[in-house]
Amino acid sequence: MVDHDLLLDILLRFSRTLVRHYKVADVLPDLCADMTKLLAVDGAGIMLEDERGVLRFVAASDEVVGRIELLQLRAGEGPCIRAYETASTVAIPDLATTDELPMFAPLAVDAGMRAVFSFAMRVGDITVGAYNIYRRQPGELDDEAVHAAEVLADLASTYIVSADAVERSTLLATQLQRALDSRVVIEQAKGVLSHAWGVNVDDAFEQLRTYARSGRVRLHDVAVDLVEGRRTPEDIRSAGD
């Protein structure tokens, strides 16, 4: 039985997080904890693909589940891996009697888990990872719980993609700001040389660039030193003589 009030609370809380800057590493452990409460299961774990497309363990509701998730990666098989590779849901209601996953299933049972259900985390046609929910008792998930789990899988996928977009956007903004800052200081340096030498700014810039190249120093760094007084127009002129 799914607690609909709790589901609504989770969706509202995480939707508020989406509109501000956040780190996936801070959000996903909370989502795992919410999964266990909402679905009345005994643990949850999440794996995501890295920049090379390799599946990695990233979050779990507790240390036991964390160890089981790592066992999947070491064994090279598991429900999370299968869900990710097939972009589908994998359900194993009794790990003690299944013929599937012969290496993983005994390890999970030894760790105290008897049932596992894994859901692919997808955005459109792209699969970004998968998450598992575990129970200590065998048995199927009812349709309502499956639907709620799929909603949470979509929610987690949205977080991953949104965080990646924010990170890339932030990186781009930082790079653009650095480029603008560099351009400003170079313009200032051109003005310093133009005034000191009585030449136009184009000639000043050419001399500044020649100086930087001959000394194998970044143009930006030379400009900063000139503007801040660590280099003088005489230093730059004498180096070109």
Side-chain angles (χ1 to χ4, degrees):
M1 186 70 177
V2 173
D3 185 336
H4 292 89
D5 289 337
L6 178 57
L7 177 58
L8 180 60
D9 179 66
I10 293 170
L11 295 176
L12 288 174
R13 176 157 44 85
F14 280 87
S15 66
R16 295 189 185 103
T17 306
L18 277 171
V19 300
R20 64 178 189 269
H21 185 67
Y22 60 92
K23 293 183 179 179
V24 171
D26 296 333
V27 173
L28 293 186
D30 291 339
L31 191 55
C32 287
D34 286 329
M35 289 175 189
T36 62
K37 295 176 185 176
L38 178 67
L39 304 175
V41 295
D42 298 299
I46 295 176
M47 292 190 190
L48 299 175
E49 65 175 17
D50 63 16
E51 65 277 2
R52 297 174 297 171
V54 178
L55 204 59
R56 303 290 187 188
F57 164 65
V58 294
S61 57
D62 56 70
E63 291 185 6
V64 173
V65 172
R67 288 196 297 270
I68 296 175
E69 296 291 83
L70 289 173
L71 288 175
Q72 291 192 65
L73 297 178
R74 291 170 185 165
E77 69 167 31
C80 210
I81 294 174
R82 182 174 293 182
Y84 167 73
E85 291 178 343
T86 62
S88 62
T89 297
V90 175
I92 304 179
D94 193 345
L95 286 161
T97 62
T98 183
D99 294 328
E100 298 185 65
L101 308 173
M103 289 187 289
F104 170 77
L107 297 175
V109 172
D110 287 345
M113 297 300 177
R114 284 288 301 274
V116 61
F117 306 88
S118 188
F119 300 84
M121 296 167 57
R122 294 171 295 180
V123 179
D125 295 330
I126 301 173
T127 304
V128 299
Y131 83 80
N132 290 330
I133 52 177
Y134 294 90
R135 292 199 306 200
R136 297 187 182 279
Q137 298 298 321
E140 298 277 1
L141 281 180
D142 61 40
D143 291 343
E144 188 177 34
V146 170
H147 179 66
E150 291 172 343
V151 169
L152 291 180
D154 290 342
L155 176 64
S157 303
T158 300
Y159 269 85
I160 304 307
V161 173
S162 297
D164 181 61
V166 168
E167 183 175 346
R168 285 186 281 109
S169 177
T170 300
L171 177 61
L172 178 60
T174 300
Q175 291 172 337
L176 288 174
Q177 187 59 53
R178 287 175 180 170
L180 289 172
D181 291 344
S182 180
R183 174 50 54 191
V184 168
V185 76
I186 289 172
E187 291 297 324
Q188 292 174 333
K190 286 161 59 177
V192 170
L193 295 180
S194 175
H195 177 75
W197 297 341
V199 300
N200 62 52
V201 291
D202 290 337
D203 290 339
F205 176 68
E206 187 61 33
Q207 184 64 40
L208 186 69
R209 184 167 59 180
T210 299
Y211 175 84
R213 286 177 176 173
S214 64
R216 296 183 178 180
V217 183
R218 290 198 313 159
L219 180 62
H220 170 80
D221 293 341
V222 174
V224 170
D225 286 348
L226 182 62
V227 170
E228 295 183 355
R230 288 187 293 274
R231 299 179 198 260
T232 67
E234 288 72 22
D235 295 331
I236 293 173
R237 184 190 293 277
S238 61
D241 293 339

